[in-house]
């Protein structure tokens, strides 16, 4: 679902990947994934997903505009 979203905020720390992007209705959705095996690139297990609240959306918007 987030594959087609632009822009996408992506954080990869160790085996954990966090992705946030807009769904088809324009709402911001955050998805948490864990890499299944270091030997198998790009294979993840979705462990959580939720819609962002207004404060989180405002923070992402400021970050993308280069503001603090």
């Amino acid at each position: 679902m987030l594959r087609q979203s632009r822009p996408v905020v992506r954080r990869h720390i160790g085996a954990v990947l966090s992705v946030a992007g807009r769904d088809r209705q324009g709402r911001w959705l955050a998805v948490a994934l864990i890499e299944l095996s270091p030997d198998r690139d790009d294979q993840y297990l979705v462990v959580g997903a939720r819609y962002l609240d207004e404060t989180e959306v405002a923070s992402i918007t400021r970050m993308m505009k280069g503001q603090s």
Side-chain angles (χ1 to χ4, degrees):
M1 182 156 113
L2 295 178
R3 192 176 284 259
Q4 303 300 320
S5 179
R6 294 292 179 262
V8 172
V9 178
R10 181 182 160 116
R11 256 187 347 205
H12 199 245
I13 302 169
V16 178
L17 174 62
S18 298
V19 181
R22 293 179 184 257
D23 69 6
R24 291 181 183 133
Q25 288 76 37
R27 297 173 296 178
W28 278 93
L29 179 66
V31 180
L33 307 104
I34 296 179
E35 195 169 23
L36 291 174
S37 168
D39 301 327
R40 296 165 37 195
D41 282 346
D42 295 328
Q43 292 187 359
Y44 294 89
L45 174 66
V46 175
V47 294
R50 67 181 181 83
Y51 285 102
L52 301 181
D53 64 28
E54 292 177 14
T55 303
E56 293 167 315
V57 171
S59 178
I60 286 177
T61 302
R62 284 192 308 274
M63 181 185 66
M64 290 187 312
K65 290 180 180 180
Q67 302 171 352
S68 327

